Amino acid sequence: MSEWDALSDDDRDWAIATAALDGDKCPVCGGDDPEGLCQNPRYQHAWDVKIRRCYKQRAVLMAMERVRSDPYAGTFVPVVTLNEARAKPERK
Ligand SMILES: [Zn+2]
């Protein structure tokens, strides 16, 4: 049980954002020392970014696309399980 459990969702979001600021973490990326690093103009072009795909979320989005035309599509709750039998063979 946390002190935040009694808060509404909005209040909890604000508390988390405020804690992030108080904790010297960037509220955008969650990184440490925002003034020295992620919010420092000196490093504007110094960040290397690698993009990786989350195949789990991709599968969820593809499944939700199939029910997109349902007038109550926003009420579907994706239940995701990993089926190892459908995995590609591991590379050696
Ligand atoms: Zn940041």
Side-chain angles (χ1 to χ4, degrees):
M1 181 88 179
S2 154
E3 62 186 295
W4 293 357
D5 289 345
L7 300 176
S8 72
D9 286 346
D10 283 346
D11 289 344
R12 188 169 24 249
D13 289 346
W14 276 107
I16 290 169
T18 302
L21 289 172
D22 291 345
D24 203 26
K25 299 246 185 218
C26 175
V28 175
C29 72
D32 293 321
D33 188 18
E35 284 186 40
L37 295 172
C38 70
Q39 297 174 22
N40 184 338
R42 180 169 180 254
Y43 297 125
Q44 179 179 359
H45 302 292
W47 298 98
D48 291 327
V49 177
K50 292 180 181 169
I51 302 289
R52 297 194 316 189
R53 176 169 274 177
C54 173
Y55 294 104
K56 177 181 173 183
Q57 185 63 14
R58 180 177 185 265
V60 169
L61 292 173
M62 290 172 71
M64 295 304 284
E65 180 72 18
R66 290 194 291 273
V67 297
R68 182 184 57 169
S69 62
D70 186 292
Y72 305 105
T75 63
F76 286 105
V77 178
V79 178
V80 186
T81 55
L82 178 62
N83 183 347
E84 189 68 42
R86 293 175 49 198
K88 294 178 183 174
E90 286 195 53
R91 289 191 203 159
K92 293 180 181 167

